Amino acid sequence: MPEGHTIHRLAAALTARLGGHEVRASSPQGRFAEEAAVIDGARVRRVSAHGKHLFVEYAGRGAPVVHVHLGLGGRVVVGDTAAPAPRGAIRLRLETADAFADVRAPTVCELIDPARQRALIARLGPDLLARSPDPATARRRVSRSRVAIGALLLDQKLFAGVGNAYRSELLFRCGFSPWMPGSEVGADGFDRLWEEARRLLADGRRTGRVATVDRADLPRGQRRSAGRHLPPEDEASGSAVARARARETYVYKRADLPCRRCGSVVRTALQAGRDVYWCPTCQPGPADPSSARTDGAVG
DNA sequence: GATTTATGGTAAT
DNA sequence: TTACCCTAAATCT
């Protein structure tokens, strides 16, 4: 689930509930027990995000920071009640008298110092959800790279916060084949990708969903719900929600279905280790490597 | 009940 | 490029 928009949304939700409070910390699952004891009862200053990384910051100079990365399957369940009895594996539970946050299945959950936090952020590229992220480095590196733009978009050193769903949707909306080398995208093309990434991620942060289809491109019956905010309680689970989400993208997860714009069959292939989706008509450009390889090997 | 999948990232190769 | 990591939810049988 979590691309940058989810993490920023979480940071805001957690700051609102925990910021300024002395917060109980525990590890019902046990794997974060020692660390939780260190911060148990400490006052949370705020919860911040950079790209897909989440930081729980505590009051006081040099105070430790909880660093969380949710990876693929991780999630944070937020509630506005006293914390219920733990169910399942909860790596970290933060709670006040009337709110709680459960961190489940993160790939990273660690206690670090502020210097380490700064180092982590420095290692990442500009966060597309920051107030005014600087595109200069990414623009230069993309323009000089022979690597396909679809692979470059997943590089967190260039585009912190972009994940697999937004990659395909961004490329569709800007009309680029995922297989076009970065060097052929052009300065203007880069700028369009950059601005589109900022816009889509900001929409996602606002609404809680990766809904990238313009109203005009939806069937009439679906236009009414487009852009509606997702209630937080629906965010965590439910196959109905998952199905609804699958109808909110141009190409992501739509292999073999018709393109919403032109009706061509949406294609998919592995790129940079992840499934990328694209419309061969709306996104003209180099043929993907699999078709090229077939030509060469079989011909 | 078992298996697969996931909007991620790293380390080894 | 591949293997692997954690876990929950979706998908299978």
Side-chain angles (χ1 to χ4, degrees):
Chain A
M1 303 183 183
E3 296 188 31
H5 69 298
T6 305
I7 307 306
H8 277 263
R9 190 174 167 82
L10 271 172
L14 295 179
T15 296
R17 289 165 177 80
L18 307 178
H21 293 272
E22 293 179 349
V23 175
R24 299 303 308 263
S26 60
S27 179
Q29 171 214 44
R31 286 183 50 185
F32 196 66
E34 280 183 35
E35 297 89 336
V38 174
I39 51 173
D40 185 28
R43 188 177 303 279
V44 170
R45 184 160 64 87
R46 64 165 187 170
V47 180
S48 66
H50 190 104
K52 300 167 186 170
H53 296 252
L54 188 72
F55 301 100
V56 183
E57 302 171 9
Y58 287 87
R61 202 174 164 73
V65 175
V66 179
H67 170 222
V68 172
H69 194 299
L70 293 178
L72 261 178
R75 62 199 189 111
V76 178
V77 177
V78 181
D80 285 313
T81 62
R87 267 188 312 107
I90 301 173
R91 184 80 61 88
L92 168 64
R93 166 170 279 183
L94 297 171
E95 58 184 307
T96 65
D98 49 19
F100 69 93
D102 289 343
V103 179
R104 295 175 180 267
T107 46
V108 175
C109 181
E110 59 179 356
L111 207 54
I112 61 177
D113 60 31
R116 168 88 176 131
Q117 179 189 12
R118 286 192 294 275
L120 278 168
I121 291 173
R123 209 184 56 197
L124 295 166
D127 183 347
L128 289 157
L129 283 170
R131 203 178 303 278
S132 50
D134 181 1
T137 302
R139 181 190 289 125
R140 188 175 66 248
R141 287 188 50 191
V142 168
S143 73
R144 294 175 182 178
S145 178
R146 295 190 312 185
V147 176
I149 185 62
L152 293 171
L153 279 171
L154 290 183
D155 186 342
Q156 300 299 295
K157 290 186 178 68
L158 300 178
F159 304 95
V162 173
N164 202 32
Y166 281 120
R167 156 172 81 162
S168 288
E169 295 299 290
L170 279 170
L171 289 166
F172 177 89
R173 292 181 60 98
C174 294
F176 288 116
S177 161
W179 309 100
M180 179 180 286
S183 57
E184 292 178 24
V185 165
D188 180 66
F190 173 89
D191 288 345
R192 283 191 291 124
L193 279 170
W194 183 266
E195 290 310 320
E196 200 63 26
R198 291 186 67 196
R199 177 181 11 248
L200 291 186
L201 280 161
D203 285 351
R205 173 172 54 184
R206 186 165 45 79
T207 63
R209 52 214 290 193
V210 184
T212 58
V213 181
D214 292 335
R215 282 171 107 71
D217 289 324
L218 285 172
R220 289 193 175 279
Q222 287 177 31
R223 289 185 195 174
R224 205 161 55 88
S225 63
R228 182 184 298 167
H229 293 208
L230 200 63
E233 62 270 21
D234 289 348
E235 211 164 329
S237 66
S239 58
V241 172
R243 281 197 297 276
R245 280 180 176 160
R247 292 195 294 268
E248 295 177 324
T249 60
Y250 279 108
V251 288
Y252 178 68
K253 287 271 173 170
R254 285 178 54 82
D256 300 329
L257 294 172
C259 170
R260 291 189 193 279
R261 287 248 174 92
C262 77
S264 297
V265 175
V266 172
R267 298 194 52 186
T268 185
L270 218 50
Q271 186 185 47
R274 323 288 301 277
D275 289 329
V276 69
Y277 302 81
W278 78 100
C279 168
T281 303
C282 296
Q283 298 168 259
D288 65 279
S290 62
S291 62
R293 190 163 58 242
T294 302
D295 290 340
V298 179

